Amino acid sequence: QTLEPRLYYLHVPYENQDDLPIFDTQELTFSFAQLFRPNRYSGADRQVEANDLTLAVTSRLLDDANGDELLRASLGQILYFDDRQRVQLPGVAPREASRSAWAGELDFRLNDKWRVTLSEQYDPEEDRNELSAVRLQRRLDNDGVVNLQYRYRRDFLEQVDASTAFPLNEKV
């Protein structure tokens, strides 16, 4: 078993970007991976200002025989030291918070064929879950894969999707 603490400090000074047009920039979906990104936006139209510290921990359970990861659990949160309201997308209300939601993931490999992944976000300031997702994945003998996923984002989204990918022949 491992215990992997992570600290990530991000400092980006403020630049007034009000005169720049918005072409393709969107706010990225918050997730555990987002805890360690240098910008909360996609595209180059907005560059975030930041004075943040991310605190996170991951623990893995590894198979002694071959080193395969059997279980991974991760939890983290961003602490905001400065006001983050000056750089925003038009029409998006700024959020006043001293910290992000808690973001967590649990990835469990049942065997070589089956994997279950859970993702959660809990907002301590609102005292509620903001996101829940569960994915079941089945690997096929012919290098294919089948996924079934349920996602819920408070006041925005609730959906189920299925996907599959498999080779049609040896070359494709």
Side-chain angles (χ1 to χ4, degrees):
Q1 182 176 359
T2 68
L3 184 63
E4 306 164 24
R6 289 179 73 178
L7 295 175
Y8 176 72
Y9 178 71
L10 178 64
H11 183 264
V12 180
Y14 171 71
E15 285 277 334
N16 187 332
Q17 301 165 51
D18 293 341
D19 293 337
L20 298 176
I22 303 291
F23 291 106
D24 62 352
T25 295
Q26 295 292 320
E27 192 158 0
L28 295 167
T29 301
F30 185 71
S31 66
F32 184 79
Q34 185 67 21
L35 295 174
F36 306 100
R37 287 184 178 257
N39 196 358
R40 73 176 188 259
Y41 301 114
S42 67
D45 304 327
R46 288 293 180 268
Q47 299 299 310
V48 73
E49 64 176 313
N51 185 16
D52 309 339
L53 177 66
T54 297
L55 306 170
V57 64
T58 296
S59 183
R60 301 171 202 269
L61 187 59
L62 306 173
D63 187 329
D64 286 339
N66 57 22
D68 286 348
E69 183 180 271
L70 304 174
L71 176 76
R72 180 180 65 246
S74 301
L75 182 65
Q77 185 180 50
I78 303 172
L79 304 176
Y80 305 117
F81 298 126
D82 289 339
D83 183 13
R84 302 177 329 126
Q85 298 185 34
R86 293 185 291 187
V87 177
Q88 296 291 329
L89 293 175
V92 176
R95 182 170 177 218
E96 296 180 33
S98 61
R99 56 191 172 163
S100 73
W102 285 98
E105 292 182 348
L106 181 65
D107 189 66
F108 183 56
R109 193 182 109 206
L110 301 169
N111 56 40
D112 290 340
K113 304 279 185 202
W114 291 95
R115 178 179 297 269
V116 176
T117 304
L118 305 168
S119 299
E120 284 287 326
Q121 289 175 24
Y122 173 76
D123 186 339
E125 294 189 13
E126 298 289 329
D127 191 27
R128 65 184 187 183
N129 283 356
E130 294 295 322
L131 173 130
S132 296
V134 60
R135 183 181 75 183
L136 180 64
Q137 182 180 76
R138 168 75 158 96
R139 296 212 169 262
L140 305 175
D141 291 332
N142 62 354
D143 294 328
V145 65
V146 176
N147 296 301
L148 180 62
Q149 184 166 349
Y150 168 79
R151 283 187 292 273
Y152 167 80
R153 181 173 299 282
R154 179 172 300 285
D155 300 328
F156 181 70
L157 174 78
E158 186 170 11
Q159 71 183 32
V160 175
D161 67 54
S163 64
T164 186
F166 57 92
L168 298 175
N169 59 45
E170 290 180 20
K171 294 182 182 179
V172 179

